Amino acid sequence: CPHGPIVLKDGRYLHVGRAFSIERTDIPREHETNELPEGIYYQFSNDGYTWTEPKLIPIDYKNDLYCEPHVTQLNNGEVLVGIRFHPDFNHGIMKTVGIVSKNNISSWGEPFFFDIDGMPPHFFRHSSGAIIMTYGKRTEPRSEMAIVSFDDGKTWSKPTVISKFSDSGDLGYPSSVELNDGKILTAYYQHEVGEVNCIKYTIWSLDEKEK
């Protein structure tokens, strides 16, 4: 999980991440490990040190690749998870899958696709109540992108460009914070032709994206 856990309204930590398939020969003999089938799992902690046993988020994984998830809590206490998706492990097609919890984060609804071309997601709750999801778009025109929900994740705005279009698809992983004046700072990495990879940021206004 590139962006780490979140803190829920009740004070618990929630972490959603991917379990990788690990060959036994890759694990030192003296190292204890709890091997899990590959998939997306969630777990809770009261203190950040001890965690519940990971539970699998029920998706029909088949031969598809799901990875790099992030999560946000909704107003009703449930959570929305966004997951990077590649069908048949094809790294040329990159989408974002969403799934919402039910029954106090003990079960899950049906997965769905966000209507975007890009990944992986980062969720951020603005002081206005809007949920902002940023992601990298590696197909042309390449850029850092955002979609916004003003109704707690039920519907989403059309994608909007955060940064200028990039010459290279070597970009992404944006994450955002709110500044004191309500504007948003989104940081990301981006590689332009003739540049080395670097961390960049854009300061933008939610009001601009509502127009």
Side-chain angles (χ1 to χ4, degrees):
C1 174
H3 301 296
I6 65 168
V7 180
L8 299 172
K9 295 177 181 179
D10 62 11
R12 291 181 299 165
Y13 296 91
L14 170 63
H15 179 254
V16 180
R18 174 191 173 194
F20 288 84
S21 295
I22 301 176
E23 295 294 331
R24 171 53 74 180
T25 54
D26 293 336
I27 303 172
R29 292 190 178 186
E30 68 277 7
H31 185 73
E32 292 288 335
T33 181
N34 182 9
E35 296 181 65
L36 297 167
E38 187 159 338
I40 304 297
Y41 290 79
Y42 67 105
Q43 55 188 156
F44 301 95
S45 173
N46 291 320
D47 57 11
Y49 293 95
T50 58
W51 293 82
T52 60
E53 286 295 317
K55 292 185 178 180
L56 182 69
I57 293 180
I59 296 174
D60 187 3
Y61 291 96
K62 296 181 180 178
N63 292 320
D64 301 324
L65 173 62
Y66 294 83
C67 61
E68 299 179 337
H70 195 230
V71 59
T72 188
Q73 188 166 29
L74 305 176
N75 289 331
N76 64 3
E78 301 295 349
V79 296
L80 165 64
V81 178
I83 308 167
R84 175 176 175 169
F85 170 78
H86 299 267
D88 299 320
F89 288 86
N90 182 348
H91 287 259
I93 303 173
M94 304 179 188
K95 299 288 185 181
T96 296
V97 168
I99 189 168
V100 177
S101 70
K102 301 189 298 183
N103 302 317
N104 195 28
I105 321 181
S106 64
S107 60
W108 298 86
E110 292 296 319
F112 62 91
F113 282 101
F114 286 92
D115 189 20
I116 62 171
D117 177 6
M119 53 76 223
H122 176 266
F123 294 107
F124 159 66
R125 175 79 72 168
H126 191 263
S127 61
S128 65
I131 300 176
I132 299 166
M133 189 181 92
T134 52
Y135 59 96
K137 182 175 181 291
R138 295 185 175 181
T139 56
E140 293 192 14
R142 308 178 182 99
S143 186
E144 316 299 334
M145 307 291 291
I147 55 176
V148 182
S149 175
F150 299 99
D151 56 8
D152 209 38
K154 296 180 179 66
T155 61
W156 294 84
S157 68
K158 292 182 180 180
T160 188
V161 177
I162 294 175
S163 70
K164 69 174 185 177
F165 295 122
S166 173
D167 294 328
S168 170
D170 192 2
L171 58 78
Y173 297 89
S175 60
S176 304
V177 295
E178 183 174 353
L179 304 177
N180 290 336
D181 60 2
K183 290 185 178 180
I184 300 155
L185 186 152
T186 299
Y188 47 91
Y189 93 88
Q190 198 158 298
H191 180 125
E192 303 299 337
V193 174
E195 289 184 353
V196 296
N197 273 4
C198 58
I199 302 298
K200 299 184 177 184
Y201 70 89
T202 299
I203 296 175
W204 53 286
S205 170
L206 186 60
D207 293 339
E208 297 171 0
K209 306 309 174 188
E210 293 183 70
K211 297 177 182 179

